[in-house]
Amino acid sequence: MELPDFMNYANKFSQSEFVEKISRIAKRAGAKLVYAAFILYYTLQSDKVSKADKAIIIGALGYMISPLDVIPDAIPIAGLTDDLAVLLYVLKKVWTGVDPDIIASAQEKLSKWFDADEINEIQNLFDSEE
């Protein structure tokens, strides 16, 4: 799958829309997508991350929030595949700036929404299953 120019979606990002979207799609999206989104969201809030990395994170999270993307989220199964691909692409780009505390915060948040079996999906975060 070729990634879209997700930076066109930077103006779609807002904290409230992020929380609303994650709350609405969490179970359907799966632990891997939600975990990647939380890591990026918490990384965005860090003062240790460069402005350039924050810009691409905002673009990726804006893409995830937007209902107008390459594969509409309403399409069963495939609808969130492009969102996951964009989130993982950006997460790989900024991974060296991700603090262990951010990972712990994302895992803690994930444990409130998913059971242990579902959380096992995140063990190989960058392995493509979709």
Side-chain angles (χ1 to χ4, degrees):
M1 171 185 356
E2 185 175 324
L3 292 177
D5 183 3
F6 56 86
M7 289 307 296
N8 290 332
Y9 294 84
N11 65 340
K12 303 283 186 204
F13 176 75
S14 78
Q15 288 186 342
S16 62
E17 288 184 42
F18 171 80
V19 171
E20 187 277 325
K21 174 92 180 224
I22 286 291
S23 298
R24 188 169 32 88
I25 68 163
K27 283 296 187 175
R28 183 169 58 99
K32 188 180 270 191
L33 184 144
V34 174
Y35 182 55
F38 277 136
I39 291 173
L40 290 173
Y41 178 74
Y42 292 136
T43 299
L44 181 63
Q45 297 172 14
S46 172
D47 58 356
K48 299 176 185 174
V49 178
S50 72
K51 288 182 181 181
D53 283 352
K54 286 185 178 194
I56 64 171
I57 290 170
I58 288 171
L61 294 177
Y63 184 85
M64 185 199 78
I65 290 169
S66 177
L68 304 173
D69 52 24
V70 175
I71 304 173
D73 296 346
I75 296 174
I77 302 170
L80 296 169
T81 306
D82 60 324
D83 294 3
L84 178 60
V86 166
L87 294 177
L88 291 177
Y89 173 80
V90 170
L91 190 54
K92 282 181 184 179
K93 286 194 140 325
V94 303
W95 189 250
T96 58
V98 176
D99 190 270
D101 290 340
I102 289 170
I103 293 169
S105 294
Q107 288 175 344
E108 180 181 334
K109 187 74 167 177
L110 202 66
S111 70
K112 293 178 182 177
W113 293 18
F114 295 94
D115 64 31
D117 289 338
E118 293 169 312
I119 291 175
N120 281 336
E121 287 181 42
I122 70 167
Q123 298 307 314
N124 298 310
L125 184 60
F126 295 115
D127 289 351
S128 178
E129 298 173 359
E130 279 70 39

